[in-house]
Amino acid sequence: MESSQAIKFPQSQPHHQPLKYQKRFHVAQICLRILSIATALAATWVILTSKQHLVIFGIPFDARYSYSSAFKFFAFANVAASAFSLLSLLYLLIVPANYFLLFLHDLFTMSLLLAGCAAATAVGYIGRYGNEHIGWMAICEQFGKFCNKVTASVILSYLSFLCLLVLTIISASRSRQFHA
């Protein structure tokens, strides 16, 4: 093969696709972003309102999200993911889509949210099951309401993460398409 010959792969270009497909794609992007915002905000609200007070043998005990740095980071990650997703939604509605910028934005937001989910999952697991090897007791038998709210918040946050994962994949695939 001569050096002047190049292998050309067919590229699916958005401006050659039917308008109906482009509109559906745009609506799907908007819906996924709205769903991501809604689930991250719901997760934030649930974690911020998770608290329980108990008195055991006359001694008061409290469980709050603010007592754990992992849960504080989790709450921050959800707030940030909501804000960043709102910014990307506004960007998508106002500016003609630059999918490479959306890809970078979605990847950053998804990574931040995943880090928060991982931190909350780790601490929640120890709270629910304990760790006998190092002497950490499970607290969820005593603080069931608190643990259930934290679990619900983490599930909502993982749903937001899944939306962002799909958006990241979509943006990555669209950013590879060249515009002539």
Side-chain angles (χ1 to χ4, degrees):
M1 180 184 296
E2 294 179 14
S3 62
S4 64
Q5 291 179 335
I7 298 174
K8 294 186 179 182
F9 295 100
Q11 293 288 328
S12 173
Q13 297 183 5
H15 61 280
H16 291 302
Q17 294 171 344
L19 188 59
K20 184 177 178 182
Y21 173 79
Q22 289 181 32
K23 283 185 181 181
R24 284 184 184 166
F25 179 80
H26 195 68
V27 168
Q29 281 252 340
I30 291 169
C31 290
L32 281 169
R33 290 181 193 286
I34 290 171
L35 186 60
S36 174
I37 294 166
T39 53
L41 282 177
T44 302
W45 181 78
V46 172
I47 194 71
L48 291 179
T49 60
S50 62
K51 58 186 169 189
Q52 188 174 356
H53 179 77
L54 290 176
V55 177
I56 301 173
F57 299 118
I59 302 170
F61 293 96
D62 283 327
R64 297 174 186 262
Y65 89 96
S66 59
Y67 294 165
S68 166
S69 59
F71 288 153
K72 285 193 242 180
F73 175 68
F74 173 73
F76 166 77
N78 277 286
V79 168
S82 299
F84 290 147
S85 293
L86 180 62
L87 286 175
S88 69
L89 177 63
L90 294 174
Y91 177 80
L92 190 65
L93 293 173
I94 296 170
V95 179
N98 179 338
Y99 289 104
F100 182 70
L101 288 178
L102 282 174
F103 164 70
L104 293 175
H105 185 274
D106 293 339
L107 183 64
F108 171 76
T109 305
M110 180 193 69
S111 300
L112 176 65
L113 189 60
L114 182 59
C117 287
T121 300
V123 171
Y125 182 87
I126 291 171
R128 185 161 301 274
Y129 301 108
N131 188 330
E132 292 180 15
H133 299 293
I134 55 177
W136 290 346
M137 296 176 17
I139 64 157
C140 286
E141 290 178 16
Q142 293 80 24
F143 291 97
K145 178 183 165 192
F146 173 77
C147 288
N148 290 338
K149 286 187 88 170
V150 168
T151 300
S153 181
V154 170
I155 289 170
L156 286 166
S157 191
Y158 273 116
L159 288 173
S160 183
F161 162 75
L162 287 175
C163 291
L164 288 167
L165 176 63
V166 171
L167 285 166
T168 301
I169 292 169
I170 289 171
S171 298
S173 69
R174 296 290 279 206
S175 70
R176 292 188 44 158
Q177 298 171 347
F178 297 101
H179 299 282

